[in-house]
Coordinates of all heavy atoms in Angstrom, one line a residue:
K8 N -4.6 -33.2 -16.2 CA -5.9 -33.1 -16.8 C -6.8 -32.1 -16.0 O -7.7 -31.6 -16.5 CB -6.6 -34.5 -16.9 CG -6.0 -35.4 -17.8 CD -6.7 -36.8 -17.7 CE -5.8 -37.8 -18.5 NZ -6.4 -39.1 -18.3
A39 N 17.6 12.1 -17.7 CA 18.1 13.4 -17.3 C 17.3 13.9 -16.1 O 17.9 14.4 -15.1 CB 17.9 14.4 -18.5
I66 N -5.2 4.3 -8.4 CA -5.4 3.0 -9.0 C -6.0 1.9 -8.0 O -6.9 1.2 -8.4 CB -4.1 2.5 -9.7 CG1 -4.3 2.5 -11.2 CG2 -3.7 1.1 -9.3 CD1 -3.1 2.1 -12.0
P69 N -10.5 2.2 -3.5 CA -11.8 1.8 -3.9 C -12.6 3.0 -4.5 O -12.4 4.1 -4.1 CB -12.5 1.3 -2.6 CG -11.4 1.0 -1.7 CD -10.2 1.9 -2.1
G90 N 9.1 1.1 -13.0 CA 10.4 0.5 -12.8 C 11.3 0.7 -14.1 O 12.5 1.0 -13.9
V121 N -4.0 13.3 -1.1 CA -3.2 12.2 -1.5 C -3.4 11.8 -3.0 O -2.4 11.7 -3.7 CB -3.4 10.9 -0.6 CG1 -2.8 9.7 -1.1 CG2 -3.0 11.2 0.8

Side-chain angles (χ1 to χ4, degrees):
K8 294 177 192 173
I66 250 180
V121 169

